[in-house]
C-alpha cells in the first residue's frame, strides 16, 4: 500500500497514461507520433531517482506539477517531447491515476479482509459450543458461546466485504474527456471524427485495465465526480467502525481475563507495572478505526463544495485523505490478521507466555465466570423440575427466591462465592430434584441453538469447513454446499502482494 501511494508510483503511472494516450492516438492514425517516440516513452516509463529533482525544480518555476512532469518526461524521451499530453488536460493523468489507485488499493484490501474473516470463521467453528457468559447493558445475561460471539464480528466484517467489493466493482475510468468533459480537444485532433474519439477513449480505458466490469464514465466534468471518493471512503469508514467494535470487545474480554490478543514472550506491557499485559494491538485498532471512521466526512465535504465543472479546492485535501484512508484500512487489517492468526487454538493448561500469536482463550476463567452467575440463571429450571415432581410452582418460587437473596448478599456484602446451589443442596424442600441438579446446571443446556447457528452461518455465509465437519458430512451433503462469500472472494482476488519493505520508495 505504501508503494501504491508513493511518489514514484504516482508519477510513473502518469507516464504510463501519457504512453497509453500516445499509443492509442498513433494506432488511430494521428500524424506526428513516431515509433521512436513511443519506444523512448516505454523505456523511461518509470521515473528515476535523479528525475525527481528535475521535476521539483521545474514545478518551483512553473507552479504546475503536471507540466513539470511533462517537461521532465520530455527530457528523458526527447523524441516524444512534442506529443506528450497531446489533447489532454491535467486531470487526464491526475484523475485517471487516482482511479487506478482507488481500484488497486481495494484489490490489496479485499483479500486481506477475506483472510481475516476466514481465520475468525475457523475460530468460531472450533469454539461454537464453548459456553461463555453473555452481556447485555454491560451486565451478565443469558449464556452464549465463544463461537457465537465471534460470529457477531464476522457478520459485520461480511457487510464490510460486500460494501468494499461493491465500491470496487462500481469504479470506472475517467478516460479521455478533455478540459470540461466534452472531448472537444480530441474531436479537433481527429478532424471531427466522433468514431475515432470514442475509440480513443475505449483504447486508453482498456490499456488501464478498466474493461468489462470497469469501463469509463460516459459523463464527466474536468474531473470524475468527487462523489466516487465519498462512496469508496464511506465503505472504508464503515469498516473502521467495525474495527473499533471488535477491538473494544477484545479489550473488554482481556479486562475480564477470558481472552487475550497475542502477547510476545519478551513483550513489555508497562514500563512501570511489570505484570501488565496491555491489549496494545486492540487499542491501536480502536484508535486507527476511529480515525478511519471519520475520514469520509472530508470526502463528503469535498464533493459538496465543487462548483460546476470543477474547482481546485478538492486537490490538496484529496492528496491527504485518500492515501490516509487506504493506509489506515491496511494497518487495521494487518492488526486483525495478526490478532486472529492461529486463533483457533485454545490454551488452558499451556503456559500463555509461550503463545506468540493468535487470540488466547482461558476456558477455566470463562467457566469460573459462568459459575458465578449460572446458579441464578438456573433457578427457573429448578422451579420447573420441582413442578414436574408435583410441588407448587409458587412454593418453589418463594423457596428459591429466599435462597437467591441470601446467596446474592454473600457475594456482594461478604465478597464470597455464589453459594446458591450449596444452599439448595442443604435445604430439604429441594430433595426431590437433588439428583437432577448437575444436569440442570450444565452450561450447554443454556446456550440454545448457538452451536448450530454458528455452523449454519459459517457454512452458508463464509464457506468454511473444519476437518471434523468434513469427515462428518456425507458426499451428498458436501456436494450441496454452496461456496460462501469469503471463499469466493479469496478465489477472486488472488494476486501477488509485494512487501512494502522490498520497494524502493521515494519519500
Amino acid at each position: 500500500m505504501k508503494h501504491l501511494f508513493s511518489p514514484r508510483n504516482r508519477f510513473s503511472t502518469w507516464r504510463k497514461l501519457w504512453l497509453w494516450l500516445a499509443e492509442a492516438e498513433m494506432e488511430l492514425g494521428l500524424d506526428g507520433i513516431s515509433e521512436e517516440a513511443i519506444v523512448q516513452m516505454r523505456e523511461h516509463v518509470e521515473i528515476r531517482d535523479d528525475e525527481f529533482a528535475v521535476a521539483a525544480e521545474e514545478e518551483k518555476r512553473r507552479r504546475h506539477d503536471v507540466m513539470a512532469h511533462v517537461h521532465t518526461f520530455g527530457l528523458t524521451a526527447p523524441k516524444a517531447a512534442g506529443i506528450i499530453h497531446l489533447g489532454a488536460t491535467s486531470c487526464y493523468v491526475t484523475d485517471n491515476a487516482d482511479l487506478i489507485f482507488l481500484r488497486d488499493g481495494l484489490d490489496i484490501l479485499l483479500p486481506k479482509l477475506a483472510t481475516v474473516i476466514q481465520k475468525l470463521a475457523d475460530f468460531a467453528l472450533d469454539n461454537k459450543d464453548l459456553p461463555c457468559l453473555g452481556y447485555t447493558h454491560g451486565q451478565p445475561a443469558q449464556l452464549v458461546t465463544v463461537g457465537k460471539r465471534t460470529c457477531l464480528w464476522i457478520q459485520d466484517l461480511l457487510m464490510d466485504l460486500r460494501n468494499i467489493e461493491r465500491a470496487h466493482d462500481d469504479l470506472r475510468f475517467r478516460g479521455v474527456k478533455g478540459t470540461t468533459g466534452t472531448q472537444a480537444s480530441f474531436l479537433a485532433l481527429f478532424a471531427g471524427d466522433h468514431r475515432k474519439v470514442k475509440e480513443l477513449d475505449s483504447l486508453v480505458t482498456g490499456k488501464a485495465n478498466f474493461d468489462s466490469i470497469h469501463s469509463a464514465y460516459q459523463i464527466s466534468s474536468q474531473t470524475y465526480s468527487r462523489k466516487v471518493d465519498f462512496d469508496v471512503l464511506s465503505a472504508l469508514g464503515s469498516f473502521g467502525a467495525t474495527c473499533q467494535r471488535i477491538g473494544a470487545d477484545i479489550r473488554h474480554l482481556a479486562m475480564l481475563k477470558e481472552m487475550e490478543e497475542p502477547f510476545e514472550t519478551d513483550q513489555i506491557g508497562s514500563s512501570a507495572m511489570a505484570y501488565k499485559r496491555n491489549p496494545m494491538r486492540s487499542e491501536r485498532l480502536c484508535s486507527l478505526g476511529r480515525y478511519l471512521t471519520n475520514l469520509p466526512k472530508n470526502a463528503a465535504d469535498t464533493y459538496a463544495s465543487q462548483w460546476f465543472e470543477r474547482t481546485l479546492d478538492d486537490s490538496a485535501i484529496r492528496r491527504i485523505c485518500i492515501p490516509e484512508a487506504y493506509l489506515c484500512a491496511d494497518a487495521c487489517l494487518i492488526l486483525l490478521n495478526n490478532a486472529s492468526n492461529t486463533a483457533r487454538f485454545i490454551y488452558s493448561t499451556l503456559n500463555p507466555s509461550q503463545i506468540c500469536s493468535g487470540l488466547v482463550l482461558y476456558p477455566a476463567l470463562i467457566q469460573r465466570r459462568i459459575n458465578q452467575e449460572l446458579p441464578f440463571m438456573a433457578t427457573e429450571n429448578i422451579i420447573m423440575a420441582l413442578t414436574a415432581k408435583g410441588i407448587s410452582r409458587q412454593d418453589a418460587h418463594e423457596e428459591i427466591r429466599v435462597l437467591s437473596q441470601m446467596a446474592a448478599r454473600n457475594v456482594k456484602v461478604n465478597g464470597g462465592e455464589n453459594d446458591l446451589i450449596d444452599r439448595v443442596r442443604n435445604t430439604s424442600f429441594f430433595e426431590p430434584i437433588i439428583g437432577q441438579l448437575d444436569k440442570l446446571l450444565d452450561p450447554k443446556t443454556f446456550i440454545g441453538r448457538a452451536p448450530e447457528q454458528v455452523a449454519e452461518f459459517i457454512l452458508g455465509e463464509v464457506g468454511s469447513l473444519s476437518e471434523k465437519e468434513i469427515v462428518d458430512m456425507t458426499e451428498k451433503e458436501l456436494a450441496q454446499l454452496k461456496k460462501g462469500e469469503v471463499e469466493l472472494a479469496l478465489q477472486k482476488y488472488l494476486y501477488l502482494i509485494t512487501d512494502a519493505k522490498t520497494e524502493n520508495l521515494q519519500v
Side-chain angles (χ1 to χ4, degrees):
M1 195 66 79
K2 284 182 178 180
H3 171 70
L4 182 66
F5 289 101
S6 66
R8 184 182 307 282
N9 189 54
R10 176 174 297 278
F11 300 134
S12 295
T13 302
W14 287 8
R15 290 188 175 190
K16 289 178 185 176
L17 285 158
W18 283 319
L19 171 62
W20 296 334
L21 178 61
E23 287 176 339
E25 289 172 337
M26 186 175 73
E27 289 169 25
L28 291 171
L30 193 64
D31 293 333
I33 303 176
S34 67
E35 183 63 38
E36 192 176 5
I38 297 297
V39 169
Q40 285 189 356
M41 292 175 76
R42 285 175 184 159
E43 289 175 347
H44 298 92
V45 76
E46 181 168 338
I47 188 169
R48 301 189 313 268
D49 288 351
D50 60 291
E51 293 178 286
F52 282 99
V54 175
E57 187 62 32
E58 186 68 13
E59 184 177 352
K60 184 177 180 181
R61 186 163 72 98
R62 302 293 186 182
R63 296 297 176 184
H64 198 289
D65 57 349
V66 172
M67 287 306 297
H69 280 272
V70 168
H71 170 79
T72 305
F73 197 16
L75 291 178
T76 196
K79 295 294 183 181
I83 55 93
I84 294 172
H85 203 66
L86 184 59
T89 187
S90 295
C91 286
Y92 166 71
V93 287
T94 57
D95 272 37
N96 280 322
D98 284 344
L99 288 164
I100 291 171
F101 302 151
L102 290 175
R103 178 198 63 192
D104 292 354
L106 296 184
D107 281 341
I108 293 172
L109 296 176
L110 280 164
K112 291 185 179 182
L113 176 55
T115 300
V116 169
I117 298 173
Q118 188 69 66
K119 289 178 179 179
L120 289 175
D122 290 340
F123 180 63
L125 283 171
D126 285 341
N127 298 287
K128 67 179 185 297
D129 52 5
L130 178 62
C132 64
L133 201 58
Y135 289 89
T136 58
H137 309 275
Q139 303 300 310
Q142 186 92 21
L143 296 190
V144 295
T145 69
V146 172
K148 173 67 163 53
R149 178 177 284 148
T150 305
C151 285
L152 297 177
W153 305 343
I154 296 171
Q155 184 166 252
D156 293 346
L157 289 169
L158 283 171
M159 292 175 63
D160 294 319
L161 182 73
R162 287 192 290 270
N163 289 339
I164 295 172
E165 187 169 34
R166 196 271 315 150
H168 173 278
D169 291 348
D170 280 356
L171 281 172
R172 296 188 183 186
F173 201 53
R174 179 187 177 273
V176 181
K177 297 296 194 296
T179 55
T180 56
T182 65
Q183 299 178 303
S185 59
F186 296 103
L187 196 61
L189 277 178
F190 287 100
D193 191 329
H194 287 261
R195 182 190 61 81
K196 285 192 173 182
V197 173
K198 290 177 66 177
E199 194 170 350
L200 176 71
D201 201 359
S202 179
L203 282 172
V204 175
T205 299
K207 290 175 184 291
N209 291 321
F210 276 86
D211 46 19
S212 63
I213 293 177
H214 304 283
S215 57
Y217 294 109
Q218 286 189 305
I219 297 297
S220 77
S221 58
Q222 187 171 96
T223 70
Y224 68 83
S225 173
R226 297 311 184 217
K227 197 173 183 71
V228 173
D229 298 338
F230 181 34
D231 185 43
V232 173
L233 264 64
S234 292
L236 297 181
S238 180
F239 167 65
T242 305
C243 292
Q244 293 183 74
R245 163 67 197 276
I246 294 173
D249 275 359
I250 295 174
R251 291 163 65 193
H252 281 108
L253 289 168
M255 182 176 66
L256 298 173
K257 295 181 170 58
E258 293 187 12
M259 177 190 288
E260 286 182 350
E261 64 180 37
F263 198 88
E264 309 292 340
T265 302
D266 296 324
Q267 183 174 331
I268 295 173
S270 167
S271 62
M273 295 168 279
Y275 59 88
K276 292 289 289 293
R277 297 172 68 90
N278 298 336
M280 59 89 174
R281 289 177 178 86
S282 300
E283 290 174 320
R284 189 185 309 156
L285 181 65
C286 289
S287 181
L288 291 172
R290 189 181 313 136
Y291 187 72
L292 180 56
T293 302
N294 284 288
L295 282 176
K297 180 67 164 59
N298 292 332
D301 289 344
T302 299
Y303 162 66
S305 299
Q306 288 299 285
W307 302 352
F308 306 118
E309 278 64 52
R310 194 269 170 96
T311 53
L312 196 61
D313 60 321
D314 67 338
S315 180
I317 192 170
R318 290 178 66 254
R319 295 182 190 213
I320 298 171
C321 71
I322 292 176
E324 283 192 348
Y326 275 76
L327 289 164
C328 195
D330 196 40
C332 287
L333 284 166
I334 290 170
L335 287 167
L336 284 169
N337 264 298
N338 177 268
S340 58
N341 190 31
T342 65
R344 67 180 65 183
F345 299 106
I346 301 174
Y347 303 102
S348 53
T349 59
L350 295 178
N351 180 353
S353 67
Q354 296 174 347
I355 310 308
C356 294
S357 62
L359 293 174
V360 182
L361 285 174
Y362 295 99
L365 281 171
I366 293 173
Q367 184 62 48
R368 179 181 177 185
R369 201 165 298 280
I370 290 174
N371 293 341
Q372 291 173 345
E373 303 295 337
L374 188 60
F376 294 138
M377 297 179 190
T379 54
E380 188 171 4
N381 286 2
I382 293 173
I383 292 171
M384 293 301 101
L386 287 167
T387 303
K389 296 289 186 179
I391 297 172
S392 164
R393 187 264 177 198
Q394 274 63 39
D395 290 345
H397 184 278
E398 179 60 18
E399 289 286 338
I400 201 72
R401 184 191 69 81
V402 171
L403 295 184
S404 296
Q405 295 298 325
M406 294 169 65
R409 179 177 178 81
N410 184 53
V411 171
K412 296 176 181 178
V413 177
N414 301 329
E417 297 294 332
N418 187 335
D419 60 359
L420 173 59
I421 300 306
D422 290 337
R423 294 176 187 272
V424 168
R425 293 184 190 278
N426 294 324
T427 303
S428 60
F429 180 85
F430 297 96
E431 283 183 5
I433 53 91
I434 293 299
Q436 298 175 242
L437 279 178
D438 288 342
K439 183 177 180 180
L440 294 174
L441 288 164
D442 183 357
K444 292 188 177 180
T445 65
F446 291 84
I447 59 177
R449 294 193 67 253
E452 291 76 17
Q453 288 177 335
V454 171
E456 292 162 6
F457 171 70
I458 297 299
L459 299 184
E461 299 290 331
V462 181
S464 171
L465 286 169
S466 69
E467 291 182 7
K468 180 179 182 302
E469 283 160 333
I470 291 175
V471 171
D472 290 344
M473 296 185 75
T474 65
E475 289 186 15
K476 183 178 179 181
E477 288 173 325
L478 284 170
Q480 290 175 341
L481 277 174
K482 68 174 184 178
K483 289 188 175 180
E485 292 180 57
V486 173
E487 198 168 355
L488 293 172
L490 285 170
Q491 292 176 5
K492 183 175 181 180
Y493 297 108
L494 289 176
Y495 71 104
L496 178 63
I497 300 176
T498 304
D499 189 335
K501 293 178 182 177
T502 68
E503 296 289 348
N504 180 17
L505 302 180
Q506 177 72 26
V507 292

